[in-house]
Amino acid sequence: MSYLPKDFIETAEGLIFAVVTEDMEDQRILCTLRYQRTVDGIKKYTTRQANQLLSRHYPYYLYYSLKRDVKLHAVSHDAVVYHHQPKRRLQELRNQRSDDPIENKLRHLLTLFENNGLDSHQIGVTGSLLIGVQKIGSDIDLVFYRVSEFQQARALIKELIARQLLEPLDESLWLDAYQRRNCSLSYQEYLWHEQRKFNKAAIEQTKFDISLLTPNRWQDLVRYRKQGRINLKTTIHSDCHGFDYPARYSLNHPSVTEVVSYTATYAGQAVIGEDVEIQGQLEVSIAGHLRIVVGSDREATHEYIKALPKTDPIHTK
């Protein structure tokens, strides 16, 4: 069975992990713990809380990846009791009727997209809706599996906001999104970058996000070694994979050729020709290829990509 990023997998202990890469290591699915079913209901974890829980109670789900030179969460294929798949779940929600307000808003959003020419058959739903634990205040997280539909959806979001069929995020929704990301940008920096992406909007005061998944398994076959943290100012050479998962930008730099981000905050973060400041983990492949990885954990603590003002002089380290 194939496991894709944005899928969730559930174990007999009620642990629910988000898959982070299509590639498996030692028959283990690389993932990150997001939720746990308990007698008191569902519990959601930050990266730190998840690491603490696994270390104390489920250490067999911690795994050192030789390919990535990092300790990750990983689940053996045999330990998966349920595979939550975004496309299948979206079809279930599309075909059923309920009084759940978030599900009804999801169906309304799909209808809006479809009525404006978008083929929704290559879309899935992830996040809380994927496992049916949404509540008032939950977001709608859509994942697109083809570039053409994703870019069409971005254009539609911009158009439908202008036509007042969708709503731009208000201050409270932007602030909530920023606090959830817990990123290393200031609120104003975060807001400036996000407002130009058109991958977020609101429908009936509920925020929704769209993300793109175009797996590139060849990337997972390359082995890297960490070289330590680096801060770099340079220029974006190409942004054609900026909304992919992971987001990738080629750099106009004499030695570091690429920055890769596994956290959604930095998808679509910069455009071709733009001067940027990057802070992350420098890695080198066995072939000597240097790249920076932003997103050592879900929150990308002390790591970032940000566009620089035109007046900021570029210098490289």
Side-chain angles (χ1 to χ4, degrees):
M1 180 177 289
S2 176
Y3 297 92
L4 297 176
K6 313 287 186 179
D7 291 4
F8 284 4
I9 53 175
E10 189 165 346
T11 69
E13 301 93 338
L15 301 174
I16 302 173
F17 297 80
V19 178
V20 298
T21 179
E22 187 176 1
D23 186 42
M24 295 175 67
E25 287 189 38
D26 298 330
Q27 297 301 306
R28 296 171 184 261
I29 305 151
L30 304 183
C31 50
T32 182
L33 178 63
R34 296 292 308 282
Y35 300 92
Q36 183 181 23
R37 298 190 193 275
T38 72
V39 293
D40 298 318
I42 201 81
K43 186 170 183 179
K44 188 174 183 179
Y45 292 104
T46 65
T47 300
R48 177 178 292 182
Q49 291 169 337
N51 287 335
Q52 290 174 344
L53 179 74
L54 295 183
S55 295
R56 292 172 183 170
H57 302 290
Y58 311 101
Y60 42 88
Y61 291 132
L62 295 173
Y63 173 76
Y64 176 73
S65 167
L66 285 173
K67 289 182 182 178
R68 295 163 178 81
D69 190 23
V70 68
K71 200 170 189 179
L72 300 168
H73 305 170
V75 176
S76 168
H77 172 75
D78 295 337
V80 176
V81 297
Y82 195 81
H83 180 193
H84 300 271
Q85 297 173 280
K87 287 174 70 174
R88 181 176 65 191
R89 176 62 173 159
L90 185 60
Q91 291 305 312
E92 292 172 357
L93 291 171
R94 179 201 298 275
N95 295 328
Q96 70 186 37
R97 290 293 176 264
S98 73
D99 294 327
D100 183 89
I102 304 298
E103 292 180 9
N104 286 333
K105 290 176 186 181
L106 169 63
R107 284 186 280 269
H108 182 193
L109 178 60
L110 289 176
T111 299
L112 265 180
F113 279 156
E114 291 167 348
N115 287 347
N116 285 274
L118 182 68
D119 179 2
S120 63
H121 289 90
Q122 292 298 320
I123 306 175
V125 64
T126 188
S128 58
L129 274 164
L130 177 55
I131 55 174
V133 298
Q134 71 277 4
K135 55 188 178 182
I136 298 298
S138 291
D139 294 346
I140 297 170
D141 298 303
L142 296 178
V143 54
F144 285 68
Y145 294 90
R146 287 204 299 231
V147 175
S148 56
E149 280 82 0
F150 175 77
Q151 296 296 3
Q152 184 182 1
R154 288 182 64 217
L156 274 177
I157 288 170
K158 185 175 182 179
E159 176 188 332
L160 294 172
I161 288 174
R163 291 165 55 191
Q164 299 184 335
L165 295 173
L166 291 175
E167 307 138 24
L169 300 192
D170 61 22
E171 185 72 15
S172 64
L173 287 176
W174 276 123
L175 189 58
D176 178 67
Y178 174 70
Q179 291 170 340
R180 289 190 191 203
R181 295 313 307 176
N182 193 27
C183 63
S184 295
L185 301 176
S186 71
Y187 175 61
Q188 289 304 321
E189 288 173 333
Y190 172 82
L191 191 63
W192 183 85
H193 286 87
E194 291 298 309
Q195 285 182 327
R196 64 182 188 163
K197 295 179 184 180
F198 291 101
N199 61 351
K200 295 177 177 63
I203 183 163
E204 300 169 21
Q205 291 80 54
T206 290
K207 183 173 79 71
F208 71 88
D209 295 79
I210 65 170
S211 60
L212 175 64
L213 179 62
T214 54
N216 293 300
R217 296 197 66 178
W218 64 269
Q219 286 198 102
D220 294 321
L221 302 177
V222 180
R223 183 172 294 184
Y224 285 89
R225 285 288 175 265
K226 295 190 182 304
Q227 304 297 297
R229 181 160 289 173
I230 186 174
N231 180 280
L232 189 72
K233 290 185 178 181
T234 186
T235 304
I236 298 295
H237 177 70
S238 173
D239 64 354
C240 62
H241 297 291
F243 280 102
D244 285 7
Y245 179 84
R248 292 187 292 127
Y249 308 89
S250 61
L251 304 176
N252 184 16
H253 188 270
S255 56
V256 182
T257 58
E258 183 179 52
V259 58
V260 176
S261 178
Y262 286 88
T263 183
T265 303
Y266 302 109
Q269 188 76 350
V271 299
I272 185 170
E274 200 160 45
D275 297 336
V276 292
E277 181 179 354
I278 304 164
Q279 184 159 294
Q281 294 290 331
L282 182 66
E283 295 187 344
V284 60
S285 73
I286 56 175
H289 170 75
L290 287 173
R291 70 176 189 177
I292 302 174
V293 173
V294 174
S296 301
D297 55 33
R298 184 172 181 269
E299 293 82 7
T301 309
H302 306 305
E303 300 174 357
Y304 54 79
I305 303 168
K306 56 185 175 183
L308 294 173
K310 296 293 185 183
T311 55
D312 194 314
I314 284 292
H315 63 275
T316 58
K317 295 183 180 180

